[in-house]
């Protein structure tokens, strides 16, 4: 009788394990999409990486329409993510900020809130980088203008020096001809 129970338990455990699927590691774990939430939005963003510029613009328009039809937090975050971290051709930090400002985080779970926090950080860092780049462009422009001024002054001084040398040479020539 014990042997029968052991065999039954062995068969049950074997059949229970047969439902487990072997996953061969190919580097990254697959993203499981539930139709909304952080995993879904990141998967949607990832899908745009393979698109052409026209397809991405059409996607932005479609997501804008989804937002107008259903102004939920999910649609706000999904579009803000694309406008913040998507292809450079569709990035729009100003619009992404508007979407995040209008966002009600109360119904969101903690991972969604964390994603929104990360989006704010990215937007702030982009603003700081743009400000720094603008300052550096202005400094480079000022330095370029200063270099031009100094080059003009150098040319003027060279002209003056040549005039002085010509004057010094002229009296000597006049003296030798007498």
């Amino acid at each position: 009788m014990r042997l029968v129970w052991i065999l039954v338990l062995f068969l049950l455990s074997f059949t229970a394990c047969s439902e487990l699927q072997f996953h061969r590691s190919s580097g990254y774990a697959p993203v499981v999409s539930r139709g909304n939430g952080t995993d879904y939005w990141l998967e949607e963003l990832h899908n745009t990486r393979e698109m052409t510029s026209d397809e991405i613009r059409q996607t932005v328009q479609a997501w804008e329409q989804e937002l107008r039809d259903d102004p939920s937090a999910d649609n706000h975050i999904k579009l803000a993510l694309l406008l913040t971290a998507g292809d450079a051709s569709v990035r729009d930090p100003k619009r992404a900020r508007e979407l995040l400002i209008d966002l009600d985080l109360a119904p969101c779970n903690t991972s969604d809130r964390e994603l929104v926090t990360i989006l704010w950080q990215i937007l702030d860092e982009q603003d700081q980088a743009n400000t720094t780049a603008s300052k550096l462009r202005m400094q480079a422009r000022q330095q370029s203008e200063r270099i031009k001024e100094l080059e003009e002054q150098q040319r003027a001084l060279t002209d003056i020096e040549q005039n002085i040398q010509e004057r010094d040479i002229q009296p000597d020539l006049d003296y030798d001809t007498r």
Side-chain angles (χ1 to χ4, degrees):
M1 187 64 140
R2 273 188 169 177
L3 184 58
V4 172
W5 281 109
I6 293 174
L7 285 174
V8 170
L9 289 174
F10 178 75
L11 287 174
L12 284 176
S13 66
F14 183 75
T15 58
C17 291
S18 68
E19 294 299 319
L20 297 176
Q21 296 177 354
F22 178 73
H23 176 70
R24 199 171 278 221
S25 177
S26 60
Y28 299 103
V31 175
V32 179
S33 175
R34 293 171 292 186
N36 62 6
T38 304
D39 290 341
Y40 171 70
W41 302 320
L42 291 173
E43 182 180 10
E44 289 292 307
L45 178 66
H46 176 73
N47 291 337
T48 64
R49 303 284 187 222
E50 305 283 323
M51 294 180 179
T52 65
S53 293
D54 289 336
E55 291 172 330
I56 293 173
R57 277 189 233 104
Q58 290 172 357
T59 300
V60 170
Q61 291 172 352
W63 290 7
E64 286 277 4
Q65 185 60 47
E66 284 180 28
L67 180 64
R68 284 189 291 275
D69 294 343
D70 177 19
S72 66
D74 290 347
N75 287 333
H76 274 84
I77 295 171
K78 181 171 77 167
L79 183 57
L81 179 62
L82 180 60
L83 296 175
T84 301
D87 187 71
S89 65
V90 295
R91 285 188 191 155
D92 185 354
K94 182 179 178 185
R95 176 70 174 125
R97 280 186 182 283
E98 291 171 2
L99 291 167
L100 295 176
I101 288 172
D102 294 342
L103 186 61
D104 177 21
L105 290 175
C108 297
N109 63 34
T110 55
S111 63
D112 298 347
R113 286 188 200 115
E114 186 62 25
L115 179 62
V116 170
T117 301
I118 291 169
L119 289 175
W120 275 113
Q121 289 173 346
I122 290 170
L123 290 169
D124 290 342
E125 288 173 3
Q126 287 174 350
D127 283 348
Q128 289 174 354
N130 288 337
T131 301
T132 302
S134 293
K135 287 179 182 177
L136 291 174
R137 278 191 296 273
M138 186 170 50
Q139 286 176 350
R141 188 173 38 251
Q142 289 171 346
Q143 288 176 349
S144 177
E145 290 172 2
R146 181 68 180 143
I147 288 171
K148 287 178 185 177
E149 289 174 10
L150 291 172
E151 286 173 346
E152 289 174 12
Q153 289 175 359
Q154 183 181 16
R155 276 191 291 274
L157 288 173
T158 302
D159 290 344
I160 291 170
E161 184 179 352
Q162 286 176 351
N163 288 338
I164 290 172
Q165 287 177 354
E166 287 175 6
R167 271 193 257 150
D168 287 345
I169 292 174
Q170 283 294 337
D172 291 340
L173 287 178
D174 290 339
Y175 181 72
D176 289 337
T177 58
R178 289 191 204 176

